[in-house]
Amino acid sequence: MFDFFQYKNNELFCEDANVSEIIGAENTPAYIYSKNSILQHYTEIRDAFAEARPLICFSVKANSNLTILKILADAGAGFDVVSGGELFRVLKIGVPPDKIVFAGVGKTSEEIRYALENNIFMFDVESEAELLNIDTIANSLNKRAGVALRINPDIDAKTHAKTTTGKKENKFGIDFETTEKIIKEIETYKNIDLKGIHVHLGSPIYDPEPYVLALKKVNDLLQRLIQSRKMQGFEYLNIGGGYCISYTGEAVKRPADFARDIIPITKKFNAKLIMEPGRFIVGNSGILVSKVTYLKSSTGGKKHVICDAAMNDLIRPSLYDAFHRIWPVHTSVSMPEIELPDKKPDTDGELELVDIVGPVCESSDVLAKDRWFPLVKEGELIAVFSSGAYGFTMSSNYNSRPRACELLVDGRTVSTIRRRETYEDLIAIEKEG
Ligand code: LLP
């Protein structure tokens, strides 16, 4: 699971680099990514779906560090962006525009213009109003806009309520009736090239079934329209992202398992495939390293391990009650293969029940609640695993905390790919009085 993060002689390594030594030079909190893990996960999903020859558009929101985007671009990836800022990042590293797709329910006119001026491949359109706006802006620029209609298939992806997107009450995508109406009226949008259909159900998804159910529903609609000669078919089918990773160490389905069930249904569309994985590629390719600042035991109450990483560094536990494994960087207690929420793991050394918390002034600033944890001392380093996706990208300066640095390991080589912010950075764009 954490193949590129392993303990050797009681010390955590990222690839061939000793995490304590890396931190000795850089301090905490720090995100550490494994370059070869990123590449291996990209290759795994690409190879699993190879038969369908998809364009794999890495979902930039999962991790938008320029160096990481460049690694993936060099490996052949395209990119899924959802804002002008993300588009700016991928253009900055020289990604060919015909490998960029742009999703999101609220693209502003400025963002649409910026994307059209840079000739991106297509927009994943999420409403009639947006389609009309893209058409109008394309007309004013004398350009043609490639679009895919993002359909909301009203399917339960069986994931966290805050990260499901394909139910009809969610803000994402266009319902079937409106999709049909748009397709029938497509000639009225003079500067639009309708290139494809897009479906994204939510994230993380642990089973191929929701994808298959959603694609069947979409295919039924399209076949009906094709048979009644309302349309001819589409060149591209974008099946979005959502492919799960293991946060606990338990085996979860891998891209090959998803491909086995998804590819047959995608063949019915007779279209080229686009995919938008984010979490699968970077999630288990990164850790967040923190230092224990204080230990605090309340009489008759809980023991708190107070560390220097907080909800502003990794918000997933606070926001979604997400489970991230945490273990000391240097420890004689073996990290168990599997660790489940609320269960004492099976391991050789002594464990105690603690809350691992940050210094932010919110009770929800918790990285782990009621966690069985090896006995640690103040000053010790701890690693929060599976933090490579939606970790740094969701971080903030709350409580005026400078954001962590990001470090990349390739074999033994460590490079700083984003320096730690300073107090001066915090105020650099503010006015004093
Ligand atoms: N495509 C679209 C249109 C999306 O909205 C997303 C994620 C993806 C692709 C990539 O999904 P992935 O392969 O990474 O699962 N902050 C949450 C996850 C939010 C996902 C938002 N959209 C978390 O930390 O779990």
Side-chain angles (χ1 to χ4, degrees):
M1 163 192 175
F2 304 132
D3 297 346
F4 292 83
F5 297 90
Q6 294 285 350
Y7 284 88
K8 298 178 204 170
N9 298 327
N10 302 338
E11 281 284 344
L12 181 62
F13 278 71
C14 172
E15 300 195 16
D16 298 322
N18 179 314
V19 170
S20 304
E21 283 172 19
I22 300 174
I23 296 301
E26 285 285 350
N27 217 341
T28 49
Y31 277 94
I32 302 183
Y33 307 114
S34 152
K35 178 178 179 181
N36 290 296
S37 174
I38 294 168
L39 284 172
Q40 188 190 288
H41 285 88
Y42 171 73
T43 309
E44 181 177 340
I45 198 159
R46 186 195 61 195
D47 291 355
F49 282 84
E51 183 192 342
R53 297 164 55 82
L55 171 63
I56 297 190
C57 290
F58 174 68
S59 194
V60 174
K61 62 180 86 62
N63 190 315
S64 58
N65 184 285
L66 291 183
T67 302
I68 288 175
L69 299 179
K70 185 76 168 61
I71 289 168
L72 290 166
D74 289 347
F79 294 90
D80 151 46
V81 302
V82 289
S83 69
E86 288 189 354
L87 178 57
F88 176 75
R89 285 177 177 273
V90 295
L91 291 172
K92 194 83 184 165
I93 59 161
V95 173
D98 62 358
K99 284 184 156 181
I100 304 172
V101 295
F102 192 160
V105 293
K107 303 174 194 80
T108 63
S109 299
E110 291 72 27
E111 288 174 322
I112 292 168
R113 199 168 299 117
Y114 179 37
L116 283 170
E117 279 165 357
N118 283 284
N119 303 313
I120 66 154
F121 191 28
M122 63 180 101
F123 296 93
D124 296 322
V125 170
E126 310 224 12
S127 64
E128 269 185 291
E130 182 197 335
L131 186 62
L132 191 60
N133 197 24
I134 295 176
D135 189 36
T136 307
I137 297 170
N139 183 277
S140 72
L141 295 174
N142 207 10
K143 295 245 184 198
R144 301 209 56 81
V147 308
L149 300 178
R150 175 170 179 180
I151 298 185
N152 181 324
D154 193 20
I155 288 282
D156 184 0
K158 301 196 172 65
T159 185
H160 193 282
K162 285 188 181 159
T163 54
T164 195
T165 58
K167 292 278 292 162
K168 67 171 181 296
E169 60 268 30
N170 300 133
K171 66 179 176 180
F172 299 97
I174 307 173
D175 63 77
F176 281 105
E177 293 72 27
T178 313
T179 304
E180 183 166 349
K181 173 171 171 281
I182 293 175
I183 290 173
K184 286 180 181 162
E185 294 171 353
I186 199 67
E187 303 289 307
T188 62
Y189 299 93
K190 296 292 181 214
N191 288 63
I192 296 289
D193 289 331
L194 187 49
K195 289 189 174 169
I197 288 289
H198 176 270
V199 188
H200 170 78
L201 298 173
S203 156
I205 301 176
Y206 288 90
D207 196 273
E209 195 193 9
Y211 291 89
V212 173
L213 291 177
L215 291 172
K216 274 194 179 136
K217 277 177 97 171
V218 173
N219 191 47
D220 286 349
L221 168 75
L222 298 185
Q223 290 310 324
R224 194 160 54 71
L225 292 176
I226 290 171
Q227 270 155 27
S228 59
R229 296 181 193 283
K230 297 286 188 311
M231 60 172 272
Q232 293 185 324
F234 285 104
E235 205 181 342
Y236 293 94
L237 171 66
N238 184 336
I239 61 171
Y243 316 94
C244 61
I245 60 168
S246 177
Y247 282 94
T248 59
E250 284 182 302
V252 295
K253 298 219 161 132
R254 305 217 53 116
D257 303 308
F258 283 90
R260 202 173 306 117
D261 289 355
I262 294 175
I263 290 181
I265 173 85
T266 61
K267 281 187 180 157
K268 295 190 197 293
F269 286 80
N270 200 15
K272 293 178 199 145
L273 199 63
I274 301 176
M275 300 170 65
E276 301 172 334
R279 186 189 318 264
F280 178 75
I281 294 174
V282 288
N284 274 332
S285 302
I287 58 173
L288 170 64
V289 183
S290 179
K291 197 179 286 152
V292 176
T293 312
Y294 299 112
L295 298 171
K296 172 167 153 175
S297 301
S298 324
T299 316
K302 281 205 159 163
K303 177 156 183 182
H304 287 100
V305 176
I306 304 168
C307 64
D308 66 0
M311 64 191 291
N312 77 294
D313 298 300
L314 179 71
I315 202 172
R316 301 192 73 259
S318 311
L319 194 58
Y320 316 118
D321 292 323
F323 179 84
H324 284 258
R325 299 188 71 181
I326 307 181
W327 210 252
V329 166
H330 170 84
T331 174
S332 57
V333 185
S334 319
M335 182 165 163
E337 289 276 301
I338 296 176
E339 200 180 336
L340 300 173
D342 310 322
K343 247 186 119 183
K344 188 171 183 179
D346 214 6
T347 190
D348 44 17
E350 191 181 346
L351 302 177
E352 59 181 345
L353 199 60
V354 300
D355 280 1
I356 303 173
V357 301
V360 160
C361 300
E362 301 263 353
S363 299
S364 61
D365 181 23
V366 174
L367 292 173
K369 212 171 176 51
D370 295 327
R371 187 66 62 89
W372 289 102
F373 201 61
L375 278 51
V376 283
K377 297 198 189 77
E378 291 169 2
E380 274 190 48
L381 297 176
I382 60 175
V384 186
F385 291 83
S386 312
S387 302
Y390 308 106
F392 188 87
T393 48
M394 293 181 82
S395 66
S396 76
N397 290 125
Y398 187 41
N399 279 199
S400 282
R401 287 170 48 82
R403 272 177 293 185
C405 60
E406 293 181 286
L407 312 170
L408 182 76
V409 173
D410 178 10
R412 283 176 189 283
T413 311
V414 184
S415 35
T416 304
I417 58 174
R418 192 181 205 273
R419 67 160 171 80
R420 181 180 310 288
E421 288 177 359
T422 62
Y423 292 150
E424 285 299 329
D425 290 328
L426 292 178
I427 57 164
I429 54 175
E430 276 174 41
K431 191 166 168 239
E432 191 185 339

